[in-house]
């Protein structure tokens, strides 16, 4: 059965609806309002951007999501987990400072920031991966596990390891503790995290993404923002400039369908920079993450794109 993916472009006549109102309407139409959030902790998972990066999603997107959660009685917080590599987000203190320097404060987002896997990246919960081929368990940041509702707020763009970053990457590597990230990169063998075969790595992402989907079954929404699309991730302090024009915002209850829809929108674009992003995706076989996730059956590559 085809999943529903809702789409809105960035054109907003100021006299009728601004971007924040348009994003809120998109989310509510996708089913956000049907989730019981009253008195519940709501994890808004996003990427705060490496210091120096200029493409990450700005705090105003987070504020729309946080405000909607609070309107429904929820207690939202922004979260991400620490990185494996040296940089400005390798431990919770530096990660929080990075988030603040990039504008993520309660006054700008409407909620607090909690680093999901704690001070040293070791505050994790190990959960089984139901159908994992390479990763039999997923190590997920404790703050994410402690939440009742999960909102994936993702900047869709290219990526230097996975080809592209979307909802599936947000669920897998994004929710993993530092050790969990090493396990995914190494396809279940952390000691091989930088040398593992590419498809095995991508399939490990699909494995661990399923664990988060199952944990929050019926209490999870996905938002992909196709803006400032560089071939590089927001982890890059000096990422390439965006290579193609902004496309729009998508929302869905299906992480596989929303990533597939974003890929299709890139491929269908007539923007001259589209080929650069496609080359990055194809050079790393990025679509294989979507293929592997679909084989696991926690979503569908078949979708109906509904434009608002």
């Amino acid at each position: 059965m085809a999943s529903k993916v809702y789409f809105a472009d960035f054109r907003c006549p100021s006299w009728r609806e601004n971007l924040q109102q348009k994003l809120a309407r998109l989310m509510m139409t996708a089913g956000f309002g049907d989730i019981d959030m009253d008195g519940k902790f709501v994890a808004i998972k996003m990427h705060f951007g490496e210091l120096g990066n200029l493409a990450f999603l700005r705090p105003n997107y987070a504020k729309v999501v946080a405000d909607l959660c609070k309107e429904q009685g929820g207690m939202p917080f922004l979260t991400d987990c620490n990185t494996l590599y040296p940089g400005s987000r390798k431990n919770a203190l530096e990660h929080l400072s990075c988030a603040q320097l990039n504008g993520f404060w309660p006054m700008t987002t409407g909620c607090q920031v909690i680093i999901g896997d704690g001070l040293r990246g070791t505050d994790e919960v190990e959960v089984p991966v139901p159908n994992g081929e390479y990763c039999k368990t997923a190590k997920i940041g404790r703050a994410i596990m402690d939440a009742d509702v999960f909102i994936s707020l993702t900047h869709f763009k290219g990526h230097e390891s996975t080809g592209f970053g979307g909802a599936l990457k947000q669920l897998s590597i994004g929710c993993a503790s530092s050790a969990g990230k090493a396990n995914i990169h190494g396809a279940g063998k952390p000691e091989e995290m930088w040398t593992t075969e590419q498809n095995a790595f991508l399939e490990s992402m699909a494995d661990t993404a399923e664990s988060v989907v199952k944990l929050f079954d019926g209490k999870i929404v996905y938002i992909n923002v196709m803006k400032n699309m560089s071939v590089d991730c927001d982890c890059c302090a000096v990422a390439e400039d965006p290579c193609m024009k902004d496309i729009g915002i998508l929302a869905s209850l299906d992480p596989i369908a929303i990533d597939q829809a974003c890929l299709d929108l890139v491929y269908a674009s007539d923007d001259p920079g589209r080929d650069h992003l496609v080359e990055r995706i194809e050079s790393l076989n990025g679509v294989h993450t979507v293929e592997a996730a679909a084989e696991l059956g926690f979503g569908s590559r078949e979708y109906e794109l509904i434009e608002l």
Side-chain angles (χ1 to χ4, degrees), residues 51-71:
L51 284 182
N53 186 279
L54 300 176
F56 65 90
L57 290 185
R58 297 307 191 260
N60 57 317
Y61 289 92
K63 189 172 192 309
V64 172
V65 180
D67 286 350
L68 278 178
C69 292
K70 289 188 288 187
E71 286 175 15

Side-chain angles (χ1 to χ4, degrees), residues 72-85:
Q72 295 178 207
M75 295 181 286
F77 62 95
L78 300 179
T79 190
D80 195 7
C81 291
N82 293 308
T83 60
L84 271 176
Y85 54 83

Side-chain angles (χ1 to χ4, degrees), residues 153-291:
L153 178 56
T154 302
H155 176 209
F156 184 90
K157 69 284 182 189
H159 195 280
E160 54 279 7
S161 297
T162 63
F164 76 95
L168 292 168
K169 182 176 181 295
Q170 184 88 287
L171 291 167
S172 55
I173 291 176
C175 289
S177 66
S178 295
K181 287 179 171 64
N183 198 46
I184 296 168
H185 274 281
K189 298 177 181 178
E191 67 278 8
E192 299 178 8
M193 63 181 175
W194 304 128
T195 59
T196 193
E197 193 269 329
Q198 178 69 3
N199 279 0
F201 162 47
L202 299 177
E203 289 166 25
S204 298
M205 286 176 52
D207 286 349
T208 51
E210 183 184 16
S211 67
V212 179
V213 172
K214 298 294 186 185
L215 285 167
F216 291 98
D217 184 34
K219 298 173 291 183
I220 187 166
V221 175
Y222 309 94
I223 305 153
N224 281 7
V225 182
M226 302 184 75
K227 181 179 179 64
N228 292 334
M229 288 180 287
S230 169
V231 297
D232 292 327
C233 178
D234 297 341
C235 295
C236 294
V238 187
E240 277 197 30
D241 290 340
C243 61
M244 61 183 296
K245 64 185 178 184
D246 300 340
I247 292 178
I249 308 174
L250 295 85
S252 181
L253 302 181
D254 184 334
I256 298 172
I258 197 171
D259 277 1
Q260 184 65 61
C262 287
L263 288 170
D264 290 344
L265 286 168
V266 168
Y267 273 80
S269 174
D270 60 1
D271 187 276
R274 164 250 188 223
D275 291 349
H276 190 33
L277 184 53
V278 167
E279 189 278 333
R280 171 56 58 90
I281 294 167
E282 293 183 349
S283 68
L284 293 162
N285 199 22
V287 71
H288 189 58
T289 308
V290 180
E291 294 169 343

Side-chain angles (χ1 to χ4, degrees), residues 126-175:
E126 190 166 4
V127 299
V129 173
N131 301 304
E133 180 176 354
Y134 293 98
C135 292
K136 304 303 182 182
T137 63
K139 297 178 180 181
I140 301 171
R142 187 175 298 275
I144 294 170
M145 289 292 299
D146 284 345
D148 303 297
V149 178
F150 186 95
I151 311 297
S152 170
L153 178 56
T154 302
H155 176 209
F156 184 90
K157 69 284 182 189
H159 195 280
E160 54 279 7
S161 297
T162 63
F164 76 95
L168 292 168
K169 182 176 181 295
Q170 184 88 287
L171 291 167
S172 55
I173 291 176
C175 289

